[in-house]
Structures are given as C-alpha cells and as structure tokens.
Amino acid sequence: MVGEPVNVNEFQELAREALPKMYYDFYAGGAEDQYTLKENVEAFQRIMIRPRILVDVSRIDMSTTVLGYKISAPILIAPTAMHKLAHPEGEVTTARAAAACKTIMVLSFTSSCTVEEVASSCNAVRFFQLYVYKQREIAATLVQRAERNGYKALVVTVDCPRFGRREADIKNKMVAPRLKNLEGLLSIEADSDNGSNIEAYANKTMDASLCWKDIEWLKSITNLPILIKGVLTGEDAIKAAEVGVAGIMVSNHGARQLDYTDATINVLEEVVHAVRGRVPVFLDGGVRRGTDIFKALALGAQAVLIGRPVIFGLAAKGENGVRQVIQMLKDELEITMALSGCPSVKDITRRHVRTERERLHAMI
C-alpha cells in the first residue's frame, strides 16, 4: 500500500491498486517491447542541470502563454482516451481540475464524455484533439461541434495511420466502450476474436491515406488554429511549418504506436532548430518531475503536456487527484527554477542543461 503520495510516480501505484487490471494495463502500457515507453522517462534522467547562483529568486513566475492564452505554468493536459474507465464522471472531472489549476486541457477525440458535456462543465480555455477517419465528414462534424462549443484550437494527431501493437491489450482482450462523440455518426462494430477490439476498431476507421495536403483541407473547414501532434524529426517539423500549422507537438503517442522511436526529449532540440522560431513547439511523453519540465523548456519547448500522470491522479483520487498531480509538478518546477537561478520561464535557457551527447563529447 502506498500512503499519501509525495510525487507523481506514487500516484501510478495508487492507480494500479484502484483500477481493474485490464484498464490499468490499457493506460500504462506501450507498444511491443515497450522500449520507448521506458526510454521516454529515462532519457530525462540523462540530462543534467547547470544551475546559476546568486540570482534574485525571491519571486518565481511560472506563467506562460500558449497561442496567446495565459496559463499558470507550462503544463497542459494531453489528450488521453476514455477517462470514465478511470473515474465515473470521466473528462468532466478532469476538465474541472484543469480549470482550477488555470491550465489548458486538450480533450481527446476518444473521450467518454461528449464535446458538449465537457464544454458546459466549467469555464476554461480548452483545445480539441482530432483524428481523421476514413469518413471525412465525421472529422468535419466534430470540428464544427468543437467550434460551436468554444474550443480554441485543434490538435490533429498524425501518428496513427495504423494502430500500434499494444500487447497487454491483446492479451487482456481489451474491449472499449462506445465513443460518445461518435454516437449517430459511425456504425462500425469491431469484434476481434484474437485480441483487442480497440485495435480492430481503429484499423477499420483510421484513414491510412492521410497526408500533408489534408492539413490544407482541414484549414479550409475551420478558422481554429491547428497544431499537429506526432512530429519526431526535423524534416517533418519543417513541412509542418511550411503548411502553416499554429504549433507542433513533439510526441510518440506515449510510446503506444511505433516502438524504438527515440524518446521525445531526445528529438525535441532537432525539431526546435528546424522550425527556427516560426511556430511554438510543445513536448509530451515521459514527464514525471518538475525537473523534466525545466529540461524541456531549456531545450526549446514552450510547454509540456502530461497524459498518464493525469489519468493516475484521476483513478486514485478523482478531481482532487488531478489537481494534486498538477500542483506537485508546479511545486517541483518552482523549486527547480529557484535553485537554478531562473525567476521566470523566459530565464530558462539552453545553457541551463547539459545533454548526454554534450557530456560524452566533453570526454573525448
């Protein structure tokens, strides 16, 4: 038994105790060997901080802006699926916690609560995550609903032409509940005798032909800013900037799609250098500590997104658990900034960290 958690990792243990094994495995698991799942977290641990001393840090300001919206700290809530598997009220509870913490939640396309239910739950800036299905009119309808309900941006996930092979879900024969946002729009039944029905469903619905020109199509059907999530190379970052996206999310889908991709923190700087300040860059994957957030900001991220920690907080303690997770990360970031000589997020520079490559190079 874990007592009162003192860090985000301890919430994972509480969630493991609280959730049925099938649902815990669904949230916690990654693709195939889960190499990238481990690496997303461990890569942060190989980056060292270079603190500066004798700086006035009597006041620490963690606030920043995302697409012009002010948030209390550079921590957003990543889109994660089906929160009702973790808590009876699902995404409505997560949304209230995000609003209380004065940050932005990205509502998942595969949420258990509708776009409308989350919008009416509380007053806050929210973004909507979009998958593009083979039936393009589904995307168009959901974009219109998001616009109508006051969502401020679209986050298009682009790393899912096929569904990653998540072996725990296959073994558990994971069955997904119906997606509330798609009621009346989609009538595909995806039964699978030999594994996860989520995988079978996704492979029937996902549009494997989605390509760069379709970002132009999306821009033509909405006035909302479009961010793309799933960029892992400088080459794709340049293309994203060229097609006019409003932001780039460096993400490997929480290591749930293609195993043996690099940890997101390891490719962040390549993406940042490629876009040369033309668009803001965000990072998700493996963030478990305030020091992780500091390192991501030093390497050029405008903010990070947290996925699993939010789910673990929700499963363990509901709205209060999500609030606690965000507050823990904020408290840790605040002390990291103070001890590193950075009174505000704009004071965090590349010179504040040393990567593993730099350390090895220094030894040669």
Side-chain angles (χ1 to χ4, degrees):
M1 273 293 287
V2 178
E4 187 61 25
V6 296
N7 60 50
V8 167
N9 290 318
E10 290 182 359
F11 266 104
Q12 181 161 355
E13 287 309 306
L14 290 176
R16 192 197 303 266
E17 291 166 10
L19 290 170
K21 183 179 185 298
M22 180 186 283
Y23 296 164
Y24 174 80
D25 288 352
F26 169 69
Y27 288 130
E32 295 187 355
D33 295 330
Q34 302 191 121
Y35 171 82
T36 299
L37 183 69
K38 293 189 283 285
E39 188 64 8
N40 268 355
V41 173
E42 290 172 8
F44 276 107
Q45 296 165 5
R46 296 192 291 270
I47 298 168
M48 297 295 112
I49 295 171
R50 302 179 71 246
R52 303 302 304 272
I53 56 168
L54 294 174
V55 177
D56 179 356
V57 288
S58 55
R59 280 209 181 98
I60 299 290
D61 180 9
M62 293 184 290
S63 68
T64 189
T65 58
V66 171
L67 302 189
Y69 300 104
K70 189 166 183 177
I71 54 175
S72 62
I75 305 165
L76 286 75
I77 293 185
T80 50
M82 299 181 284
H83 289 199
K84 279 191 179 176
L85 301 184
H87 185 275
E89 289 179 42
E91 288 79 5
V92 163
T93 300
T94 313
R96 288 186 184 128
C101 295
K102 298 184 173 59
T103 193
I104 294 169
M105 173 183 176
V106 184
L107 180 68
S108 172
F109 181 90
T110 53
S111 59
S112 340
C113 300
T114 64
V115 167
E116 293 79 8
E117 286 166 343
V118 174
S120 61
S121 67
C122 56
N123 188 24
V125 174
R126 271 180 290 272
F127 298 169
F128 181 65
Q129 180 225 12
L130 186 69
Y131 286 113
V132 179
Y133 276 9
K134 289 170 184 167
Q135 294 171 241
R136 291 290 171 93
E137 64 275 13
I138 291 173
T141 300
L142 278 161
V143 167
Q144 287 159 8
R145 284 168 58 189
E147 282 184 330
R148 210 164 48 235
N149 285 278
Y151 290 74
K152 302 299 185 192
L154 295 175
V155 174
V156 184
T157 296
V158 292
D159 55 10
C160 284
R162 296 275 297 273
F163 201 67
R165 191 170 167 77
R166 303 164 197 177
E167 292 177 2
D169 293 346
I170 295 166
K171 280 182 186 166
N172 292 335
K173 298 197 183 303
M174 173 69 189
V175 176
R178 287 178 176 274
L179 300 177
K180 286 285 289 288
N181 278 323
L182 300 184
E183 279 179 3
L185 296 176
L186 194 66
S187 58
I188 287 180
E189 289 296 329
D191 294 318
S192 177
D193 296 330
N194 58 353
S196 157
N197 94 318
I198 299 179
E199 184 176 5
Y201 170 85
N203 287 334
K204 276 188 179 178
T205 55
M206 294 296 189
D207 189 349
S209 75
L210 191 72
C211 56
W212 286 106
K213 67 176 173 16
D214 297 310
I215 303 299
E216 293 296 338
W217 167 73
L218 269 175
K219 286 171 73 179
S220 77
I221 64 166
T222 182
N223 292 319
L224 292 178
I226 294 170
L227 299 93
I228 68 167
K229 180 174 180 285
V231 173
L232 292 171
T233 63
E235 296 92 323
D236 281 341
I238 290 166
K239 284 188 169 178
E242 284 170 353
V243 299
V245 301
I248 289 170
M249 293 185 176
V250 175
S251 171
N252 52 33
H253 211 105
R256 292 162 77 79
Q257 282 296 99
L258 178 62
D259 202 11
Y260 297 97
T261 59
D262 216 335
T264 47
I265 192 64
N266 286 347
V267 300
L268 171 62
E269 201 166 23
E270 177 185 331
V271 169
V272 168
H273 285 167
V275 299
R276 295 181 185 166
R278 283 179 287 177
V279 293
V281 176
F282 306 88
L283 173 133
D284 84 355
V287 174
R288 300 294 182 272
R289 286 280 187 186
T291 48
D292 297 340
I293 300 166
F294 183 92
K295 292 168 186 179
L297 297 183
L299 291 168
Q302 182 154 358
V304 301
L305 293 92
I306 53 169
R308 288 184 182 90
V310 167
I311 289 290
F312 296 146
L314 183 66
K317 295 187 168 197
E319 181 182 334
N320 198 38
V322 178
R323 285 192 195 200
Q324 270 185 270
V325 161
I326 296 168
Q327 193 58 49
M328 280 174 175
L329 290 171
K330 284 166 77 168
D331 291 346
E332 289 178 5
L333 176 60
E334 183 175 357
I335 198 164
T336 304
M337 288 169 66
L339 294 175
S340 302
C342 299
S344 73
V345 291
K346 68 177 183 296
D347 296 311
I348 303 171
T349 69
R350 182 61 180 82
R351 298 287 294 154
H352 282 99
V353 292
R354 180 179 285 158
T355 62
E356 184 180 32
R357 182 178 296 166
E358 287 167 326
R359 290 208 317 280
L360 294 172
H361 188 72
M363 291 176 193
I364 295 169

